[in-house]
Amino acid sequence: MGMGVQQVVHPEICALEVSGLSKTFGATRVLTDLDLTIRSGEVHALVGQNGSGKSTFIKILSGYQPADKGGEVYVAGEAEGWSDKIAFVHQDLGFVDSLSIVENLAGAFHSRSLGTLNWRAERIRAERITELAGLSLSVDTPMRSLQQVDKALLALARARDEVVDARGSLLVLDEPTAYLPNDRVRELLSQIVQTARSGVGVLLVTHRLQEVMAVADRVTVLRDGKVVATKEVPETTEAEIIEAMIGTTPDATYPDRPDSLETAAFLRIRGLSADLLGPVDLAVAPGEIVGLAGLVASGWEQVPYAIMGALDNVNGSLAVGEAEPIEFARMTPQRAVAMGIALVPADRVRDSAVGELSVEENATIATLPRLVSHGKLDLAGRRRLTNALLKQFDVRPAVPDVAMSTLSGGNQQKVLMAKWLNISPRILVLHEPTQGVDVGARYQILRHVMEAAAQGAAVVIASAEHEDLANICHRVHVFERGVIFRTLEGGDLTEAALLSAAQGI
Ligand SMILES: Nc1ncnc2c1ncn2[C@@H]1O[C@H](COP(=O)(O)OP(=O)(O)OP(=O)(O)O)[C@@H](O)[C@H]1O
Ligand SMILES: [Mg+2]
């Protein structure tokens, strides 16, 4: 992926110099003696398995958490007064949906009350940032009506606007592409490279190693809170990076697709339609894994939520097994659960994690009825189950009692995945199941999905990860403008074919 931007690295200026940085939470050491240098003008990727300490490092840079005593952090050569030399794009982007673009962009920078803002100046700045993002939108547009990718471009533009042309400054990005479809990622990456080439040092946290290979100049690998390698990207390979991350060569292969058990459909959807969706017919047999794909907002992303009874203004009907069809309008999440349907939503942490509860409570909440005997919760049984799930899904740390909120983002996702797969649903619906998890966990999660199918679940998986779909699905429906535009199966189901079908070719 050539970005077509000339490389102008300024090795003589350091945007960031960190030495001997450590961080402990209670008795747990999360970062140990970290050394890291980011040159002005370079894109420096920071990679590592879930829980290796990437976000903790960023939280220290942003002043959200203090580091242990003894470490040193210099930004543009200065140990103090440096905060205006760093701009951040945090993973959740930090926008308020109910406010407009200009209100969001103004509020983000000024702690003083909105009443005293100079709105004329704020409008001009918001217009500049919107244009920098490459969006032709009025700054009065409510944030709610923007697609995720446009929000990400806007957050990046806001950060670029802060540091642009400021030689020696630093731009820090925590998984900026995690929630974006592949076809829009390129746009964001090329803006990131452009920013670096204007003299800004860029720290890029990502789980997508293809991105690292495409745009980073150097990459630093964290393992268990320690820097295990810093490499020039042209002199390394994806395999080498993975090995440094994990310490061994992982089993990074897709398992064999389970044979589809039956041909008679178990889940039947007729005439599903909603805003910008439909009509869609869909049939999934027990043991079958059916993929839904397409460009962003082409309808496929809404289907999981319709099946779960969580979408408004829906028409059409859904039937499970021999039961009479039920109108979508009458579906509710409770009814879906009673019908044996489990949905693993894309924004798992926001939609279904309870941060204050323990890992054990989160992992077993959907299984509680089965853990009650003689009217009492079987605590020992629950503990055994939790330990088994934590091991199966490789959750780190594998400690049942800690609060969910102390787990790293990827590890929280693994817990929620374990929770839903453990109820042995008859119909398993997943939206972006491998988002935000590291390479090792990715194949593990897909193996669990395939196991559920092998045990007879009808599986629907909506994802922008074409490689996953091509390797685990029996069939993939590609959407365009709300309807199924093409269906790929057998020898025709390849990553390349999916990509071109998604583009309407
Ligand atoms: N407040 C806290 N109390 C105790 N432990 C914590 C706390 N915050 C983070 N940790 C631990 O620090 C470790 C590193 O977490 P961090 O969020 O930095 O990982 P990460 O590399 O960003 O992972 P991911 O790729 O999953 O986002 C984890 O083991 C996590 O459980
Ligand atoms: Mg993180």
Side-chain angles (χ1 to χ4, degrees), residues 226-446:
K226 297 191 187 89
V227 172
V228 290
T230 293
K231 291 182 189 289
E232 301 281 337
V233 167
E235 288 160 20
T236 187
T237 61
E238 264 186 63
E240 206 177 32
I241 296 173
I242 292 174
E243 210 197 303
M245 277 167 57
I246 301 183
T248 57
T249 314
D251 180 10
T253 52
Y254 290 96
D256 285 337
R257 250 172 286 240
D259 289 334
S260 173
L261 300 178
E262 288 166 38
T263 45
F266 184 67
L267 169 68
R268 279 165 290 131
I269 290 173
R270 288 250 161 77
L272 167 62
S273 68
D275 287 350
L276 307 174
L277 173 69
V280 170
D281 292 343
L282 200 67
V284 189
E288 201 174 29
I289 305 175
V290 171
L292 309 177
L295 290 186
V296 65
S298 56
W300 57 279
E301 314 99 312
Q302 295 187 65
V303 177
Y305 304 95
I307 297 176
M308 200 58 195
L311 202 64
D312 292 334
N313 303 324
V314 246
N315 290 302
S317 69
L318 161 152
V320 172
E322 303 294 305
E324 284 295 304
I326 167 168
E327 297 292 315
F328 274 111
R330 295 180 46 228
M331 284 293 289
T332 59
Q334 290 83 341
R335 186 165 280 172
V337 170
M339 290 160 79
I341 302 174
L343 169 71
V344 183
D347 202 343
R348 287 176 277 280
V349 175
R350 187 181 308 163
D351 287 353
S352 61
V354 187
E356 313 83 68
L357 293 187
S358 71
V359 166
E360 175 164 55
E361 286 161 325
N362 272 283
T364 57
I365 202 161
T367 326
L368 282 184
R370 272 195 259 153
L371 291 166
V372 174
S373 62
H374 309 297
K376 273 181 71 183
L377 184 59
D378 173 9
L379 291 174
R382 180 164 84 157
R383 183 51 59 96
R384 273 194 304 277
L385 172 66
T386 306
N387 282 327
L389 289 175
L390 296 182
K391 187 156 183 266
Q392 252 182 54
F393 285 83
D394 194 21
V395 176
R396 294 173 204 197
V399 183
D401 286 325
V402 298
M404 186 76 162
S405 58
T406 69
L407 255 54
S408 77
N411 279 299
Q412 291 190 26
Q413 296 205 20
K414 293 187 214 168
V415 171
L416 296 171
M417 202 74 186
K419 155 181 154 183
W420 287 117
L421 286 178
N422 185 244
I423 65 170
S424 313
R426 298 194 298 167
I427 295 171
L428 176 61
V429 187
L430 307 126
H431 187 196
E432 301 293 8
T434 56
Q435 224 166 39
V437 300
D438 62 51
V439 261
R442 174 193 196 98
Y443 296 97
Q444 250 165 7
I445 283 174
L446 294 176

Side-chain angles (χ1 to χ4, degrees), residues 2-40:
M3 285 301 161
V5 184
Q6 216 202 327
Q7 180 169 335
V8 196
V9 178
H10 305 272
E12 72 281 7
I13 311 171
C14 280
L16 178 73
E17 281 176 277
V18 174
S19 64
L21 187 85
S22 295
K23 173 72 186 172
T24 41
F25 288 106
T28 325
R29 174 153 277 204
V30 174
L31 293 172
T32 306
D33 217 2
L34 203 81
D35 293 336
L36 181 70
T37 301
I38 297 182
R39 300 168 184 153
S40 295

Side-chain angles (χ1 to χ4, degrees), residues 177 180-190 208 211:
T177 60
L180 304 190
N182 283 331
D183 54 299
R184 300 293 297 275
V185 165
R186 222 190 131 98
E187 206 171 325
L188 199 95
L189 290 178
S190 90
R208 301 189 187 200
E211 283 173 12

Side-chain angles (χ1 to χ4, degrees), residues 54-55 91 174-175 408-409:
K54 306 179 296 293
S55 294
Q91 193 172 343
D174 196 354
E175 298 195 45
S408 77

Side-chain angles (χ1 to χ4, degrees), residues 48-187:
Q49 281 190 282
N50 294 132
S52 55
K54 306 179 296 293
S55 294
T56 303
F57 176 55
I58 288 183
K59 284 176 194 160
I60 290 170
L61 285 181
S62 68
Y64 181 76
Q65 269 166 1
D68 294 353
K69 287 207 172 64
E72 285 173 36
V73 176
Y74 289 89
V75 175
E78 290 176 56
E80 274 176 89
W82 42 262
S83 51
D84 59 337
K85 284 260 183 187
I86 313 186
F88 294 88
V89 176
H90 290 290
Q91 193 172 343
D92 65 2
L93 306 180
F95 289 133
V96 181
D97 262 354
S98 57
L99 298 180
S100 68
I101 292 180
V102 60
E103 287 164 337
N104 266 286
L105 294 178
F109 289 117
H110 305 277
S111 45
R112 62 196 138 108
S113 83
L114 290 179
T116 65
L117 282 178
N118 176 349
W119 281 103
R120 238 179 71 109
E122 290 303 335
R123 279 192 84 82
I124 292 170
R125 201 172 65 87
E127 277 159 8
R128 184 174 72 231
I129 291 172
T130 310
E131 196 186 321
L132 187 63
L135 303 175
S136 37
L137 289 172
S138 149
V139 295
D140 296 315
T141 311
M143 199 52 85
R144 162 178 347 99
S145 62
L146 266 67
Q147 289 177 4
Q148 194 64 21
V149 59
D150 295 334
K151 290 182 191 171
L153 288 168
L154 203 60
L156 178 63
R158 174 176 67 188
R160 286 167 72 202
D161 187 68
E162 280 184 84
V163 297
V164 82
D165 290 330
R167 185 162 298 191
S169 57
L170 178 69
L171 178 62
V172 179
L173 309 163
D174 196 354
E175 298 195 45
T177 60
Y179 293 93
L180 304 190
N182 283 331
D183 54 299
R184 300 293 297 275
V185 165
R186 222 190 131 98
E187 206 171 325

